Amino acid sequence: MSHDIYLDANATSPVLPAAAGAALDTMRACFGNPSSSHATGLRAKAVLDEARARARRVLGAGPGRVLFTSGATEGIQTAVLSALCALRERRAAGEPVGDLLIYGATEHKAVSESLAHWNRLLGAGFTLCALPVDGAGRHRLDLLRELAPRAAMVCTMAANNETGTISDLDGIAAVLRERAPRAYWMVDCVQALGKLPLDLANTRIDYAPFSGHKLYAPKGIGMLYVRDGAPYTPLIIGGGQEAGQRSGTENMAGIAALGAVLAALEQGDTFRGHQALAAMRERLAAALTEAFPGIVFNTPFELALPTTLNFAVPDLPSKDLLDLFDAAGVRVSAGSACSAAKAAPSYVLQAMGLPAWRTSGAVRLSFGPLATDEFIDEACARIRRCGQAVRRPALTASGLSGAQQGLQQLSFDGRHGWILFDHAAHACIAIDPPAAMATRIAAQMQGSGLRTLAVLGTGADPEGGDARAVLRAALGAAGVDAGTLGWPRDSAAVTLADGSVAAAIAIGDDVLARVSGMDGCSAVYLLGRAPKGRLDAAAVRLVFAGDTASADAGAQALAGLLTGDALLCHGADVGGASCTTLAGLRSAVDGTGEVRQMAPERLEAFLRTHEDAVLVDVREACECDAGSVSLHGRAAQPVPLSRLAEHIGHFLGAPQRPLVFVCRSGKRSARAALCLQRLGHAQAWSLAGGLALAVQFDFDFASL
Ligand code: PLP
């Protein structure tokens, strides 16, 4: 990949070269303290004054104050503290000030948390009240109208960072003017700078915080506008800088850099205007729609910043989409806080009343007003490539083992299901499919042209019956006549190693035999060749064990039916791995349980001194399609983590041959390395920090 396509501008932006230059200047030539009275100090003071003058003009601050802060979070604290201190005083003087601190339900957490914190710390005793938004994310003005007479302070952002929804500030101002003329009003303007017109002194807004790093200035610098006449209490007291309003020696590098961005805004020839940005959004939306036909955009474009697209794709969790985009060098973010296993739903989208799949599956794509047509061209091309990658057939026969048989792991929320398939026999069997993945699994099974022989459960998952029903329904239930735990009613029989007779289904040259659990409501399935109707212990290659083998008694019960080498596929991790062997379980191979991590800076030398080492890319196949990996001249072999079980025999065939697993962030590769380690592979490594640290993606500012 030639360079990053950075589409996460609402999180932060790169630094404008002119801003970086200005910052460097203040560190090299103009390094003085603006409070010093000598010439060096005076030169620094001139930089400070010029930046502030520009800020005043760009914001339309009129006679209001503009002070430099460390960022919007500080500006928000200062505004909240100022308002609460004034409200306390007014209330102590006998004035009715209202009892509510009203904030939009979709405000950045810095706002609601600051209100709660300062209200508690000052013992102010106000009640916090989240103002609901409508389905487009706009404040419910009807409800504001009702609540406003009780409002002491109102906080409503100018534009939302997750969705780009632009607030109706004129509408809010009208309600406040009429129903809450003395309530203080803070408008978080972080996402507005450079994207919406600002003329603050001609509004009713009392406080407006800004952040430099959302518009091409560095992190750690921001501004706070305070309306002329609005109360002010310093948050930081000390040497009296910023006319005593915010003490501490000024962040001159940050201020100079922000000054350069403000200069670019003022000159008007650096950043794209609304129409050009809206045209870029249209092109991105078209590429996304082509790539993911079921896509739903979470905000109406006409009410949102043109630079933010928030969307969800049915049956594609945001984590999978993020992995896919990242593989293509496209940096986007989940529209919600994303944990390793599953995305926490976005409170912003929840407040808009969107269904669960859209609140937890949301992806945000945001760009800055410096974007060029070439940049958008490349972004669209990569998005389309992601769409092609995601459509590739999933259940393809493995290239590595050369077999026609395959085994796909299906993991969701800590539980594992499996699809066993045989291309020669055109058949597949699903075991413990997670309900949440049913539609996707059905599409994969049908898309691969395979006949479903059975949809089975091991009984490990209490919800398993529902999940199997969902999958059967998604498959149209074709040809699957299900009895207990999904077992087909008309199966054959085989004799197992302990002489017992078990029901069995033929799949290709193998049989899948069912062993009932001791409790009668669980089952374990054994796969292997059964010539003359006998499935000997040594012939069992795979065991779908559910939760049986995780208990000692369960492992012992299996011991008479298979050898220590058969691969056990579990319903949930056992010792950190989704598959193990009885031998591996017994010997607890690596006493420490620590994964062998390889630092990225060691990799080059390691590969040089280990000619036979294999780099194994465990990202999913669609990620590899979106962007393949080659490190230090060695191409990585793709073996998706979800197909690792299928390749384990191959890897264990050469237990001394070094394997270096790689993935995006180092998490999936650590799972793969641990799994192999537990199975006795002596040289299974995980590349620490993943491709993110191993590959130097150069950010090409010129492409913006
Ligand atoms: N408000 C909004 C709308 C934001 O997007 C952010 C940044 O994520 C903040 C406040 C906090 O800004 P800062 O990082 O400058 O403290």
Side-chain angles (χ1 to χ4, degrees):
M1 210 57 67
S2 54
H3 55 79
D4 270 12
I5 291 292
Y6 183 78
L7 283 168
D8 200 13
N10 287 11
T12 198
S13 53
V15 176
L16 190 70
L24 210 55
D25 245 21
T26 65
M27 290 186 271
R28 280 192 181 141
C30 194
F31 63 87
N33 184 330
S35 298
S36 303
S37 54
H38 46 64
T40 313
L42 291 177
R43 280 198 290 272
K45 174 112 183 4
V47 172
L48 177 64
D49 290 345
E50 191 189 331
R52 198 187 320 274
R54 280 196 196 285
R56 304 189 71 83
R57 290 195 296 270
V58 169
L59 307 187
R65 309 169 200 231
V66 174
L67 47 126
F68 291 111
T69 61
S70 62
T73 303
E74 184 191 326
I76 291 165
Q77 313 292 311
T78 311
V80 169
L81 176 69
S82 299
L84 291 190
C85 288
L87 286 165
R88 267 202 326 187
E89 277 175 28
R90 282 169 49 201
R91 192 170 53 188
E95 186 188 328
V97 294
D99 64 327
L100 297 183
L101 303 177
I102 298 174
Y103 62 95
T106 59
E107 287 292 305
H108 192 277
K109 285 288 173 202
V111 172
S112 52
E113 292 296 316
S114 298
L115 288 169
H117 176 73
W118 291 106
N119 188 41
R120 194 171 50 238
L121 216 62
L122 298 174
F126 292 103
T127 301
L128 265 67
C129 172
L131 175 65
V133 295
D134 63 18
R138 293 194 124 194
H139 303 97
R140 291 274 307 271
L141 296 190
D142 54 332
L143 297 177
L144 180 61
R145 173 166 276 282
E146 274 173 34
L147 293 165
R150 292 174 55 194
M153 182 176 196
V154 177
C155 305
T156 52
M157 66 200 329
N160 186 271
N161 45 303
E162 279 190 29
T163 60
T165 297
I166 300 170
S167 300
D168 176 8
L169 293 182
D170 289 342
I172 295 168
V175 173
L176 297 185
R177 216 174 285 119
E178 187 193 328
R179 310 270 291 173
R182 296 227 56 202
Y184 299 119
W185 186 23
M186 179 176 79
V187 177
D188 173 345
C189 286
V190 167
Q191 298 294 343
L193 188 65
K195 300 166 204 163
L196 293 174
L198 293 166
D199 185 15
L200 292 171
N202 283 320
T203 70
R204 189 207 173 284
I205 296 168
D206 296 297
Y207 306 98
F210 293 87
S211 178
H213 73 101
K214 308 288 180 170
L215 194 77
Y216 306 111
K219 288 146 204 65
I221 185 67
M223 306 178 278
L224 176 65
Y225 160 84
V226 183
R227 189 178 54 76
D228 186 31
Y232 186 83
T233 297
L235 176 72
I236 305 176
I237 281 293
Q241 288 87 349
E242 293 284 276
Q245 302 169 115
R246 199 270 185 187
S247 287
T249 302
E250 293 85 348
N251 168 7
M252 287 306 298
I255 290 170
L258 181 56
V261 171
L262 293 167
L265 273 175
E266 246 194 320
Q267 282 149 18
D269 53 3
T270 304
F271 299 115
R272 308 281 167 316
H274 179 90
Q275 273 196 324
L277 296 174
M280 290 174 179
R281 170 176 60 188
E282 287 305 321
R283 293 178 52 212
L284 287 167
L288 285 165
T289 308
E290 189 183 319
F292 309 106
I295 193 170
V296 179
F297 292 97
N298 287 328
T299 19
F301 286 171
E302 63 280 10
L303 296 179
L305 293 174
T307 45
T308 305
L309 295 98
N310 189 306
F311 59 87
V313 179
D315 296 317
L316 257 183
S318 59
K319 172 151 187 336
D320 292 7
L321 275 166
L322 254 56
D323 286 342
L324 181 64
F325 278 118
D326 219 45
V330 178
R331 315 298 176 210
V332 300
S333 72
S336 55
C338 193
S339 70
K342 74 174 182 181
S346 147
Y347 71 92
V348 170
L349 300 177
Q350 278 180 330
M352 290 161 61
L354 301 188
W357 73 270
R358 283 167 68 184
T359 62
S360 59
V363 170
R364 178 186 69 186
L365 185 157
S366 53
F367 57 100
L370 271 186
T372 60
D373 285 330
E374 294 70 37
F375 172 80
I376 299 292
D377 284 345
E378 179 63 21
C380 290
R382 292 197 200 181
I383 289 168
R384 289 194 173 94
R385 198 182 315 149
C386 288
Q388 285 158 6
V390 92
R391 276 192 290 279
R392 86 201 291 282
L395 302 180
T396 48
S398 102
L400 196 63
S401 62
Q404 285 291 297
Q405 216 169 46
L407 181 60
Q408 165 104 9
Q409 183 179 328
L410 312 160
S411 296
F412 189 83
D413 216 3
R415 300 231 38 109
H416 310 306
W418 305 86
I419 301 178
L420 174 70
F421 56 93
D422 190 312
H423 274 283
H426 304 288
C428 65
I429 295 174
I431 297 137
D432 287 338
M437 296 172 78
T439 324
R440 206 147 42 114
I441 299 169
Q444 285 181 2
M445 288 160 88
Q446 286 166 332
S448 305
L450 299 171
R451 197 161 52 91
T452 306
L453 300 180
V455 180
L456 304 177
T458 58
D461 179 2
E463 318 269 284
D466 296 342
R468 291 193 297 279
V470 174
L471 179 56
R472 266 193 222 103
L475 285 169
V480 186
D481 181 16
T484 314
L485 291 171
W487 191 257
R489 293 186 205 284
D490 54 347
S491 55
V494 290
T495 305
L496 303 180
D498 64 355
S500 62
V501 175
I505 317 169
I507 174 162
D509 295 335
D510 286 329
V511 294
L512 187 74
R514 170 196 159 111
V515 181
S516 294
M518 283 173 279
D519 54 6
C521 47
S522 63
V524 168
Y525 304 99
L526 315 178
L527 183 87
R529 293 271 150 90
K532 302 196 182 108
R534 274 197 68 86
L535 181 58
D536 290 334
V540 175
R541 295 200 312 278
L542 280 180
V543 180
F544 298 98
D547 288 347
T548 302
S550 56
D552 281 349
Q556 270 173 22
L558 288 175
L561 301 176
L562 36 115
T563 66
D565 294 337
L567 193 66
L568 308 180
C569 300
H570 302 294
D573 279 359
V574 176
S578 56
C579 46
T580 49
T581 56
L582 283 181
L585 281 177
R586 279 190 220 112
S587 63
V589 176
D590 189 293
T592 63
E594 296 265 321
V595 181
R596 287 189 193 94
Q597 295 278 4
M598 173 150 333
E601 58 275 16
R602 254 192 78 197
L603 181 64
E604 188 171 7
F606 186 86
L607 292 178
R608 217 180 314 115
T609 49
H610 296 80
E611 281 281 315
D612 60 338
V614 187
L615 273 180
V616 186
D617 181 355
V618 293
R619 297 175 307 153
E620 289 308 303
C622 58
E623 293 170 69
C624 299
D625 275 5
S628 59
V629 166
S630 168
L631 293 173
H632 309 296
R634 198 160 310 179
Q637 277 187 15
V639 175
L641 187 63
S642 63
R643 298 288 288 275
L644 184 68
E646 184 182 324
H647 297 266
I648 278 174
H650 171 82
F651 288 141
L652 290 180
Q656 296 296 332
R657 184 177 192 182
L659 299 172
V660 183
F661 292 101
V662 302
C663 68
R664 180 169 80 93
S665 69
K667 280 196 188 122
R668 286 176 283 178
S669 57
R671 284 186 63 85
L674 184 69
C675 182
L676 263 295
Q677 209 170 305
R678 292 219 181 292
L679 289 167
H681 197 289
Q683 287 267 26
W685 297 86
S686 168
L687 183 65
L691 295 169
L693 303 190
V695 182
Q696 279 300 320
F697 285 97
D698 54 322
F699 184 79
D700 179 6
F701 213 96
S703 73
L704 267 185

